[in-house]
């Protein structure tokens, strides 16, 4: 209620907005007890006015749209909704967005994703998936409910749901993969989601999709049943037998809607050598799972104690040896019950879970390059692998976005380097080099033995060129690779920096790929310490 003393006003406002010098679109929903005059005002902390417009709200809900060109940038913008005069007004669904967003995404973020050429993107996420109800994210955006995010806190406005996700996947050219709500959802809810995505337009939920503007089925192939259900942090946490029994309810209900989908089951803790969960789930489910999904985070269990950074570095980069052993052990277990089954690593990264920004460093990039080499060596066992996170998240996001500006971390450029190489075939190779041992438990990594300083994979690209991915783990020593390619010119793309703690920022891009040519005299090719390299011959 506003009593218009001395031409005053009341309202609501949001401050600390970042505005660029560009066009913005906005809208609000409002209604009043009788009629009321509402003013939209966008200004900055100094009082500079970007836009001001008035609407008259009546007794029915109505959407009021506006557009303006920001005259100058600010980091202290204020968006006000004012009630002028006396009266009572109800507000809902206020929005202010740049006009140049791509599918609701900042343009620089969208371009970074597109340039990465991701083959698959997982939706709606990991832990969040087990508190996400897909029906909240379809239909008219302004009619979608706000929900409390039970896992991460805050609120989800559901403006980016299934249809927006599918439009985004189509735009960037990637395959969709949906992680269903296993923790707080039901088998019937998951089956309805399958029908919404893949059902004909004459089915109940296929018709709903058609009414939402998408008459043709999406034909989503990959369906992930739960996320880290083995963990006590997860909504719906249970033991392996309970998971397998509940999984079967989801399997039968979802398969009835589309028997062609690929069922991806939750594996045990990929950071642990224990295979108890995987043995139980594989034995109970047999051919009812197509893919068993592991998560791997080398420093997720890092204690807050002082450890020499050199020791951490060699444990982190060497942990790939442990993960390759876990991958092989898990594959043997799952294929013993189902010879056609594959594995997937649907989350991997450094994963300190503390605000160290260690995940954004060159050290993390060298670890992730080692993981990619490990995945390439084991393509016969793997359906897919997904780094976590894509954008922001905890500091592990390989794309960092803030105030409309985005940049790639060191790991982003490693991922891009491998992705744009267009590998078509892995070639068997033998590498001999010096190795090292580690002595103490660090994070999830127990003491390691015989970790090679050099991690090398040999491939062919789709043009028949020989490609070598070379990771030099040594902090100080140059790597000299003796090859059979005498008298050949090699194109080397190198990712490195002065220190393994270096990372990129908006102000300074310390770690970007650098291309050089080297004539392989006597078959020798040289690589810098602590570096990731692609060699094209």
């Amino acid at each position: 209620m506003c009593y218009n003393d001395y031409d005053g006003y009341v309202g609501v406002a949001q401050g600390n907005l970042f505005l660029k010098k560009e066009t913005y679109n906005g809208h609000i929903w409002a209604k009043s007890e009788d009629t009321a005059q509402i003013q939209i005002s966008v200004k900055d902390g100094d009082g500079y006015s970007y836009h001001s417009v008035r609407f008259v709200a009546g007794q029915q809900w109505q959407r009021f749209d506006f557009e303006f060109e920001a005259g100058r940038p600010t980091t202290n913008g204020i968006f006000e909704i004012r009630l002028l005069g006396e009266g009572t007004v109800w507000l809902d669904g206020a929005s202010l967005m740049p006009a140049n967003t791509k599918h609701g995404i900042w343009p620089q973020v969208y371009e970074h994703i597109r340039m990465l050429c991701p083959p698959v993107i997982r939706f709606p996420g990991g832990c969040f998936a087990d508190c996400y109800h897909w029906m909240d994210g379809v239909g008219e955006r302004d009619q979608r409910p706000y929900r409390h995010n039970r896992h991460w806190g805050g609120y989800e406005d559901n403006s980016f749901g299934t249809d927006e996700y599918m439009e985004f996947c189509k735009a960037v050219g990637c395959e969709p993969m949906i992680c269903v709500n296993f923790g707080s959802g039901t088998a019937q809810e998951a089956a309805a989601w399958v029908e919404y995505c893949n059902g004909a337009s004459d089915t109940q939920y296929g018709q709903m999709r058609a009414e939402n503007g998408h008459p043709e089925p999406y034909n989503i192939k990959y369906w992930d049943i739960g996320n880290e259900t083995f963990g006590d942090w997860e909504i719906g946490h249970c033991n392996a037998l309970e998971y397998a029994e509940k999984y079967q309810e989801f399997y039968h209900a979802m398969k009835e809607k589309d028997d062609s989908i690929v069922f991806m089951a939750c594996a045990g803790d990929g950071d642990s050598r224990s295979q108890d969960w995987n043995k139980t789930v594989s034995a109970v489910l047999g051919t009812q799972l197509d893919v068993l999904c592991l998560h791997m985070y080398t420093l997720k269990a890092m204690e807050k104690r002082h450890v020499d950074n050199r020791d951490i570095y060699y444990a982190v980069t060497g942990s790939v040896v442990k993960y390759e052993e876990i991958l092989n052990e898990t594959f043997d277990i799952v294929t013993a019950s189902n010879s056609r089954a594959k594995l997937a690593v649907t989350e991997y990264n450094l994963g300190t879970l503390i605000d160290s920004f260690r995940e954004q460093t060159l050290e993390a990039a060298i670890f992730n390059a080692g993981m990619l080499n490990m995945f390439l060596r084991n393509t016969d066992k793997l359906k897919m692998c997904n780094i976590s996170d894509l954008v922001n998240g905890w500091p592990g996001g390989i794309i960092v976005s803030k105030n409309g500006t985005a940049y790639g971390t060191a790991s982003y450029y490693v991922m891009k380097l491998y992705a744009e190489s267009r590998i078509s075939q892995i070639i068997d190779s033998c590498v001999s080099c010096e190795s090292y041992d580690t002595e103490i438990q660090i994070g999830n990594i127990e003491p390691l033995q015989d970790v090679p300083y050099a991690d090398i994979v040999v491939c062919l690209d789709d043009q028949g060129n020989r490609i070598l991915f070379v990771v030099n783990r040594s902090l100080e020593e140059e790597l000299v690779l003796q090859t059979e390619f005498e008298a050949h010119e090699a194109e080397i793309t190198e990712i490195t920096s002065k220190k393994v703690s270096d990372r990129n920022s908006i102000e300074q891009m310390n770690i970007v790929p650098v291309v050089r040519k080297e004539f392989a005299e006597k078959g020798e090719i040289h690589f810098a310490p602590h570096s990731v390299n692609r060699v094209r011959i």
Side-chain angles (χ1 to χ4, degrees):
M1 183 75 72
C2 174
Y3 301 101
N4 191 16
D5 298 328
Y6 299 103
D7 296 321
Y9 63 88
V10 294
V12 294
Q14 180 176 342
N16 298 320
L17 298 179
F18 178 88
L19 298 174
K20 287 188 171 183
K21 192 175 180 179
E22 58 188 34
T23 303
Y24 286 83
N25 295 325
H27 70 263
I28 64 166
W29 284 83
K31 72 173 184 176
S32 67
E33 192 173 66
D34 186 9
T35 59
Q37 193 173 52
I38 299 170
Q39 181 176 348
I40 304 296
S41 173
V42 183
K43 59 184 181 179
D44 66 16
D46 297 325
Y48 174 82
S49 177
Y50 292 94
H51 187 64
S52 180
V53 62
R54 296 186 179 191
F55 303 108
V56 176
Q59 295 178 350
Q60 302 298 320
W61 282 109
Q62 186 176 353
R63 172 169 161 157
F64 300 97
D65 294 274
F66 59 94
E67 180 180 290
F68 67 92
E69 180 79 26
R72 67 186 191 189
T74 182
T75 58
N76 190 26
I78 303 170
F79 177 23
E80 288 186 342
I81 306 171
R82 304 175 179 178
L83 172 60
L84 306 177
E86 298 181 5
T88 302
V89 68
W90 289 266
L91 302 172
D92 196 0
S95 174
L96 182 63
M97 294 281 286
N100 65 350
T101 58
K102 302 287 186 71
H103 304 279
I105 298 168
W106 288 106
Q108 288 192 23
V109 173
Y110 177 84
E111 285 304 311
H112 273 80
I113 296 172
R114 188 187 62 80
M115 290 189 298
L116 194 59
C117 302
V120 63
I121 294 179
R122 186 170 174 239
F123 175 82
C127 296
F128 174 67
D130 281 317
C131 60
Y132 177 76
H133 299 282
W134 70 271
M135 285 282 287
D136 291 343
V138 297
E140 173 58 44
R141 284 188 179 184
D142 288 343
Q143 302 299 321
R144 298 177 190 177
Y146 274 60
R147 301 291 190 199
H148 178 246
N149 186 327
R150 290 176 56 194
H151 192 92
W152 297 111
Y155 288 86
E156 168 59 43
D157 70 0
N158 288 302
S159 61
F160 190 92
T162 303
D163 297 315
E164 290 78 20
Y165 165 65
M166 289 305 302
E167 290 172 0
F168 169 68
C169 287
K170 182 179 179 181
V172 299
C174 76
E175 190 87 19
M177 179 178 70
I178 285 182
C179 186
V180 302
N181 184 344
F182 185 85
S184 63
T186 65
Q188 290 70 36
E189 180 183 22
W193 202 357
V194 173
E195 186 171 279
Y196 182 88
C197 294
N198 295 359
S201 58
D202 60 355
T203 61
Q204 178 183 354
Y205 292 100
Q207 181 180 355
M208 181 188 294
R209 181 196 65 243
E211 291 172 350
N212 289 334
H214 305 277
E216 296 302 318
Y218 292 133
N219 297 319
I220 297 176
K221 183 188 303 183
Y222 300 109
W223 294 80
D224 195 1
I225 316 301
N227 177 80
E228 296 180 359
T229 313
F230 60 82
D232 59 8
W233 56 84
E234 192 73 20
I235 297 171
H237 163 63
C238 59
N239 63 40
L241 182 58
E242 290 167 338
Y243 171 80
E245 291 172 345
K246 185 177 177 181
Y247 171 99
Q248 290 177 86
E249 297 175 18
F250 280 68
Y251 174 84
H252 292 298
M254 295 168 68
K255 195 171 183 66
E256 185 178 340
K257 300 298 183 181
D258 185 348
D259 65 1
S260 70
I261 64 177
V262 175
F263 285 88
M264 307 179 71
C266 178
D269 187 352
D271 297 319
S272 169
R273 290 192 180 274
S274 171
Q275 292 288 345
D276 292 344
W277 175 287
N278 299 330
K279 288 176 182 177
T280 299
V281 168
S282 298
V284 173
L285 298 182
T287 57
Q288 291 179 332
L289 70 82
D290 300 306
V291 182
L292 191 62
C293 302
L294 292 159
H295 292 177
M296 296 173 170
Y297 290 104
T298 181
L299 286 182
K300 191 171 67 177
M302 185 74 178
E303 297 176 357
K304 293 184 178 180
R305 60 187 174 92
H306 176 70
V307 181
D308 187 85
N309 275 316
R310 182 184 181 88
D311 291 335
I312 296 175
Y313 169 82
Y314 278 118
V316 164
T317 57
S319 65
V320 175
V321 172
K322 171 187 174 177
Y323 286 127
E324 189 158 13
E325 292 171 354
I326 290 173
L327 190 78
N328 285 308
E329 291 165 5
T330 308
F331 183 75
D332 289 343
I333 287 168
V334 72
T335 53
S337 299
N338 179 1
S339 61
R340 294 173 299 176
K342 297 285 188 179
L343 299 179
V345 181
T346 48
E347 292 183 25
Y348 71 94
N349 205 334
L350 210 66
T352 63
L353 292 183
I354 56 175
D355 292 330
S356 67
F357 295 96
R358 200 168 193 121
E359 294 95 332
Q360 296 182 14
T361 62
L362 176 63
E363 174 188 75
I366 293 171
F367 163 74
N368 284 318
M371 292 292 280
L372 289 172
N373 278 4
M374 185 265 281
F375 297 149
L376 288 172
R377 283 193 293 271
N378 293 278
T379 51
D380 58 321
K381 305 176 182 71
L382 289 161
K383 177 65 72 173
M384 68 177 69
C385 305
N386 314 100
I387 197 166
S388 175
D389 287 345
L390 180 60
V391 184
N392 291 349
W394 59 71
I398 62 172
I399 300 169
V400 178
S401 171
K402 185 177 181 182
N403 293 337
T405 301
Y407 63 89
T409 66
S411 289
Y412 171 85
Y413 286 105
V414 165
M415 299 295 294
K416 186 172 182 291
L417 182 69
Y418 280 67
E420 66 190 14
S421 299
R422 304 180 66 87
I423 298 305
S424 64
Q425 183 180 343
I426 313 300
I427 299 175
D428 289 338
S429 59
C430 181
V431 178
S432 177
C433 67
E434 294 183 0
S435 62
Y436 66 88
D437 300 336
T438 63
E439 298 179 355
I440 59 174
Q441 174 87 25
I442 296 176
N444 292 312
I445 310 305
E446 61 268 22
L448 303 167
Q449 292 184 329
D450 299 322
V451 178
Y453 281 106
D455 189 333
I456 301 174
V457 176
V458 183
C459 318
L460 292 179
D461 67 13
D462 57 5
Q463 300 297 312
N465 297 306
R466 193 73 61 95
I467 300 290
L468 283 73
F469 292 113
V470 181
V471 178
N472 182 8
R473 295 185 176 110
S474 175
L475 279 171
E476 294 93 8
E477 298 298 324
E478 179 185 71
L479 172 65
V480 180
L481 179 63
Q482 182 70 49
T483 75
E484 61 188 31
F485 310 121
E486 292 190 25
H488 280 73
E489 186 178 67
E491 178 195 82
I492 302 165
T493 305
E494 177 185 83
I495 297 175
T496 190
S497 192
K498 290 182 179 180
K499 301 180 294 181
V500 295
S501 59
D502 286 345
R503 61 188 179 96
N504 291 335
S505 66
I506 293 174
E507 295 78 18
Q508 189 169 2
M509 297 295 290
N510 295 302
I511 307 167
V512 294
V514 176
V515 180
R516 61 184 170 87
K517 300 285 182 124
E518 183 170 328
F519 189 76
E521 187 176 357
K522 298 180 181 180
E524 289 186 357
I525 306 176
H526 298 251
F527 302 97
H530 53 262
S531 64
V532 178
N533 308 268
R534 181 190 64 195
V535 182
R536 179 182 281 116
I537 298 176

